[in-house]
Amino acid sequence: MIPALDARLAAAARMCRPGTVVADIGCDHGKLTAYLACTGLYPKVIGADLRPGPLSKAAQTVQNAGCGGCVDLRLGDGLSVLAPGEAGTIVLAGMSAQTAIEILSAARWVFAPDGPRLVLVPATRHATLRAWLYRSGFALAADEPVQAAGHWYAVMAADYVGEPQPLTLERCLYGRTGEYPGGADYAALQRGRLQKLRRGLQDAEPLAQAIDAHLQAARAAGLPCTLPR
Ligand SMILES: C[S@@+](CC[C@H](N)C(=O)[O-])C[C@H]1O[C@@H](n2cnc3c(N)ncnc32)[C@H](O)[C@@H]1O
């Protein structure tokens, strides 16, 4: 049976580059690994996890899906399970932004014009992850806001373009989510989070001033700063 994906993982699956080897790092239950294998669009799907428990769950999911022929399950930390250049798409879903940044920073081969597409579904701190991507020379090819289990997520596809991308508060907060249905609700949520962040900053800090200006402009334009009920 092909596993059903939630909206996060379904969006991530749509962003993988067909015809490439895909590595689903932190595969846990293995639903995305098995789903991708069942599509027949990828020569190999590598599912990897830091811990043996999740990896055996993934093995069971793949077996139930009956499409294990192109699946390779590996135990290990981050991209250490891959040879440099081995995957053309790397998925990191359901991890904190910080963990995703640490995993990617440890694999320099990812930072290359012919390097892999990154498909990222951070569990936290979307703006921090976008800022890191821009600074590191990645452009967002997609940035889809989706709801799953009552939470909003941003599902990002990032390609290395070789030079740092413009870094503004707006670009970090919203990325390209405004191009999708759900973008307005996602933006309201991000503004709500921004107000929380502001409370921890001193008035004189440049970030505090940028946030004040941004929120003031949003309110003046009648934009909500929390999710509509
Ligand atoms: C919350 S689960 C996400 C599962 C799935 N990707 C999803 O989004 O539904 C996070 C998984 O990442 C794994 N993980 C955390 N740090 C990791 C690392 N450095 N390398 C590989 N896997 C890691 C955990 O063991 C866990 O199984």
Side-chain angles (χ1 to χ4, degrees):
M1 196 179 53
I2 302 176
L5 300 182
D6 65 17
R8 277 174 328 124
L9 294 182
R14 288 194 295 273
M15 292 179 197
C16 294
R17 272 190 193 142
T20 65
V21 171
V22 181
D24 177 16
I25 305 293
C27 64
D28 194 5
H29 41 68
K31 289 181 187 171
L32 180 63
T33 302
Y35 176 90
L36 292 171
C38 290
T39 64
L41 294 173
Y42 307 95
K44 179 154 74 171
V45 183
I46 299 166
D49 207 284
L50 188 56
R51 297 177 295 131
L55 211 59
S56 48
K57 268 195 277 175
Q60 191 62 58
T61 305
V62 169
Q63 193 186 343
N64 293 345
C67 51
C70 70
V71 174
D72 187 355
L73 296 178
R74 300 180 186 178
L75 181 66
D77 187 359
L79 304 195
S80 69
V81 297
L82 303 176
E86 186 178 8
T89 302
I90 291 172
V91 182
L92 296 172
M95 293 173 189
S96 70
Q98 195 50 43
T99 300
I101 290 168
E102 282 167 15
I103 287 176
L104 294 168
S105 299
R108 296 314 298 176
W109 61 271
V110 163
F111 301 75
D114 58 352
R117 158 161 290 195
L118 308 180
V119 176
L120 306 168
V121 192
T124 58
R125 296 183 184 270
H126 310 174
T128 301
L129 183 58
R130 289 193 190 96
W132 180 84
L133 288 167
Y134 297 145
R135 264 195 228 104
S136 307
F138 289 90
L140 287 173
D143 193 356
E144 185 173 346
V146 299
Q147 259 185 311
H151 296 283
W152 278 97
Y153 295 88
V155 183
M156 306 172 195
D159 298 323
Y160 187 77
V161 291
E163 51 192 49
Q165 299 298 290
L167 200 61
T168 63
L169 181 61
E170 286 78 4
R171 280 170 51 80
C172 294
L173 267 183
Y174 312 123
R176 298 184 62 172
T177 56
E179 299 171 24
Y180 297 83
D185 282 351
Y186 177 83
L189 173 76
Q190 287 291 78
R191 282 191 290 275
R193 288 178 175 156
L194 200 57
Q195 297 192 93
K196 248 195 194 164
L197 171 69
R198 173 65 181 90
R199 281 183 217 122
L201 300 174
Q202 302 294 323
D203 289 351
E205 289 181 51
L207 180 58
Q209 292 173 5
I211 292 174
D212 288 346
H214 183 71
L215 291 174
Q216 213 174 352
R219 286 193 200 99
L223 296 172
C225 293
T226 53
L227 262 185
R229 286 184 189 278

